[in-house]
């Protein structure tokens, strides 16, 4: 099995830097990046029926119902051939069980679940500084990654905004939802021996290094086993 066949789940509360780390892992190992939050934001922006259904949940920091999310993910997974990384899914125990069921049906399994750990106060501090470009999707942080010109996207010149779900009250609500609904997945995957935890409060480069330190040996052991 090559790196391209890796199947990774990335867990972490809102603001733990999942998106950034997902991008670099996918690039390094040639994985498809499946981010349910991005899929839903795309549907909202395109004002599709699905977008209208999920938009209201997202705005108030609530989870989209499991049946809706599971259907979207199952359809996407069906179209993917090589390895993938799931970012933002599963987020509840029923979603995790449904994922197991889908994978079992296809004769696949998750290679590793990477969990980015962060303290809630650090998350609130980080997320309240977050600004995004509605035109191209680029994300900045007024503290740690400011744009070159204030309020303007470096990439496309678009006017940066604070996403509704990055506002403090919504962030606190999303953290509460994470604690209640998603934190139990840590124990679920730990019990299966698939979980590896990393301190998400360090710099993005340090977190990336820690993640590579976990995934590289998995890839090497695969190539070794094959040789
Ligand atoms: P994210 O960008 O991953 O933080 O997702 C943004 C929002 O999309 C979340 O706050 C939820 O409202 C919704 N969402 C994304 N993924 C899921 C999921 N797996 N289950 C339920 N809701 C989700």
């Amino acid at each position: 099995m090559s790196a391209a066949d890796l199947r990774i789940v990335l867990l972490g509360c809102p603001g733990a830097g999942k998106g950034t780390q997902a991008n670099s892992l996918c690039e390094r190992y040639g994985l498809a990046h499946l981010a349910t939050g991005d899929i839903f934001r795309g549907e909202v922006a395109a004002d599709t029926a699905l977008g209208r259904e999920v938009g209201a949940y997202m705005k108030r920091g609530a989870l989209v119902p499991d049946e809706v999310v599971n259907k979207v993910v199952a359809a996407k997974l069906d179209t993917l051939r090589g390895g993938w990384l799931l970012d933002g899914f599963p987020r509840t125990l029923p979603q995790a069980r449904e994922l197991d069921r889908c994978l079992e049906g296809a004769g696949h399994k998750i290679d590793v679940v990477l969990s980015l750990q962060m303290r809630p106060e650090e998350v609130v501090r980080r997320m309240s500084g977050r600004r995004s470009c509605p035109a191209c999707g680029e994300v900045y942080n007024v503290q740690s990654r400011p744009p070159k010109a204030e309020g303007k996207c470096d990439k496309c010149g678009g006017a940066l905004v604070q996403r509704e779900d990055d506002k403090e009250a919504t962030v606190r609500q999303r953290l509460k939802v994470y604690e209640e609904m998603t934190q139990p997945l840590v124990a679920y995957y730990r019990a299966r021996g698939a979980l590896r935890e990393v301190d998400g409060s360090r710099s993005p480069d340090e977190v990336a290094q820690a993640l590579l330190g976990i995934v590289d040996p998995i890839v090497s052991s695969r190539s070794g086993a094959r040789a």
Side-chain angles (χ1 to χ4, degrees), residues 106-197:
H108 294 147
K109 73 179 212 10
I110 297 167
D111 292 295
V112 65
V113 176
L114 302 167
S115 171
L116 303 179
Q117 304 288 317
M118 255 180 88
R119 281 178 302 109
E121 280 318 308
E122 173 68 11
V123 171
V124 172
R125 198 188 59 78
R126 241 192 215 186
M127 288 186 78
S128 56
R130 204 143 94 157
R131 300 291 180 273
S132 343
C133 175
C136 73
E138 193 68 5
V139 179
Y140 299 85
N141 192 297
V142 291
Q143 288 121 20
S144 57
R145 190 181 174 244
K148 291 193 184 92
E150 198 185 319
K152 223 174 172 193
C153 179
D154 294 349
K155 265 194 170 169
C156 74
L160 301 181
V161 299
Q162 184 171 40
R163 255 166 46 185
E164 197 58 42
D165 58 354
D166 284 344
K167 295 194 171 152
E168 181 167 340
T170 320
V171 171
R172 290 201 183 274
Q173 171 60 20
R174 290 170 71 198
L175 284 172
K176 194 165 151 254
V177 169
Y178 182 84
E179 263 317 298
E180 284 171 18
M181 309 297 287
T182 311
Q183 191 63 32
L185 295 185
V186 169
Y188 178 86
Y189 286 121
R190 187 182 289 127
R192 281 164 173 65
L195 187 79
R196 300 294 301 270
E197 291 171 280

Side-chain angles (χ1 to χ4, degrees), residues 1-8 21-34 80-86 212 215-216 219:
M1 185 182 278
S2 70
D5 295 318
L6 275 179
R7 292 184 180 84
I8 299 178
Q21 298 303 334
N23 286 336
S24 62
L25 287 166
C26 287
E27 198 172 306
R28 181 174 174 92
Y29 302 110
L31 307 174
H33 180 188
L34 211 158
L80 298 179
R81 287 298 156 256
W84 41 248
L85 179 145
L86 298 182
L212 300 191
V215 181
D216 274 355
V219 174

